[in-house]
Amino acid sequence: MTTFLQILVNGLMLGGLFAIVSIGLTLIFGIVKVVNFAHGEFLMAGMFITWLITTRLGLHPYAAVIIVVPALFVMGALTQRLLIQPLMSARDDHVQIFATVGLSTALINLALLIFGADIANTPAHGLRAPISLGPVRVLTGQLYIFGAAIALVVALHLMMKHSQIGRAIRAVAQNRSAAELMGINVNRIYILSFGIGAACVGLAAVLIAPLYPTSSNIGTYFVLTAFVVVVLGGLGSIPGAFFGALLIGMLDALSGFYIGSDLREAVVFGVFLVILILKPSGLFGNRRALSHLS
Amino acid sequence: MLKLENIHAGYGPTTILQNVSLEVKEGEIVTIVGANGAGKTTTLRTIAGLIKPKQGSISFCGEDITRLRGDQVVDRGITLIPEGRQLFGDMTVRENLLIGAFRAAARANHERRLDEVLSIFPRVRERLDQAAASLSGGEQQMVAIARGMMAQPKILMFDEPSLGLAPIVVSQVFDIVRQIAGTGTTVLIVEQNVYTTLKVADRGYVLENGQIVLEGQSEALLNDDHIRQAYLGI
């Protein structure tokens, strides 16, 4: 019983990790309607900055949040302004996809140039120490990630529902030309939204860096699961990404223990396929949100 | 107040409007009538900054607004209530109205404005917390008008407000247009419903194939032979 509980909690913690990586990706897709294939490299950039700040300045890794989150916001905003916005009139979504794939490749190679191919270990400052929660044990850092993922979902929800800028963002996401008629500067909302989405993955980077070794290809490692999570939850849905991530985390942990760790991915993708066959728009998605993709 | 001079405009390589000039004075109700495809919607979208004219100029309160973006035009005090309502369907009616007050000049006192606007639309008040998409067509048109009013524009432009509505709702819509004009807001209205619109408006322009073919006081237009034959079927 304790084993089962422990595995369940492991799955939850893994889910929290997937969630915090995925939220920014689904946010950008939901508003700007661009699939950001450089999302994983944004994560990688954030982790390297966290590593630099922690090792060079000897600070606690979480202190890096003050630099990393604004830095990633700027990186996202610039990506939208300088890369995506000039392509938005292209009318063909594939052009934007190629642009973000290109950005991804460029960032990976830039990281190789600056940091080399070695692995960068961010000092853990106790975040890899286990703590007991009743009968089960989790890593301190994992618990913080889980809490941060919930806090982020709640914060974004409150912002979208109750602030005028949040309403403006939702208006642009739903009907771009009607939003313009309300006096909303649509391009500015896109820049802001891309920035917020990147800032979210910046927060993820700070929290993940002390637990996982940073390297130029770490983004690819996380982002494949993030894409599964985002599609499973319903493209553009923040609660969808959160619960989709928890489901994937649990499936991963349970099948890894009870079926065999080499079959984990078969189970995860198997369930993913079944859900998509039953509900093609994802768990929390609505058909209309996808209509522009057809 | 609003002046279009020799406007040529269209989509891509096609030119729809040819040499359109018109003027709206403060406090007036002006209408542009014409058949489907005559360029009425294109005229409003050009004023609203959604289409950039190929030639000509648009000025508003003495300022040249020809090259402004849509959101900048709204900031100057020109609001368009688009054809087909274009509500934010997944958002509540209240949220739709609050978004209407996004314009900087309207944001500060939006609570008071919401009360004023809702006093004109008692039915909308009952639906405030429902999703906009769940409303009937007539109710949605009322929300679209109320949302436009939330911006506190100097001039409010209506694009086919009676389209697809039951006759009784159509007459309510025109009553509201009259009421809005009564509060001092200038109105520019585009319609296929020629007779009713000319009854409400002070002046009118007749648009055919992208060109203004006739203009004048509403009564004069209602008695014009060409209008009577082509649009009123008399």
Side-chain angles (χ1 to χ4, degrees), chain A residues 274-287:
Chain A
V274 170
I275 290 179
L276 282 193
I277 289 167
L278 297 176
K279 198 164 183 310
S281 50
L283 295 173
F284 286 66
N286 64 25
R287 220 163 270 278

Side-chain angles (χ1 to χ4, degrees), chain A residues 160-161 164-165 167-168 170-172 174-175 177-186 188-189 286 288, chain B residues 48-50 69-71 74 79-80 82 86-91 95 98-103 107 147:
Chain A
M160 292 294 177
K161 272 274 187 238
Q164 184 72 337
I165 198 74
R167 276 191 289 269
R170 282 160 60 216
V172 170
Q174 270 187 46
N175 188 335
S177 65
E180 192 171 0
L181 289 175
M182 301 299 110
I184 297 168
N185 183 339
V186 174
R188 192 179 296 169
I189 292 289
N286 64 25
R288 249 185 311 153
Chain B
L50 302 178
R69 286 192 314 266
D71 59 285
V74 176
T79 290
L80 170 64
Q86 305 279 336
L87 296 181
F88 304 108
D90 294 343
M91 293 165 74
E95 287 175 327
L98 290 176
I99 279 288
F102 189 83
R103 177 185 172 228
R107 215 175 296 181
R147 186 180 64 174

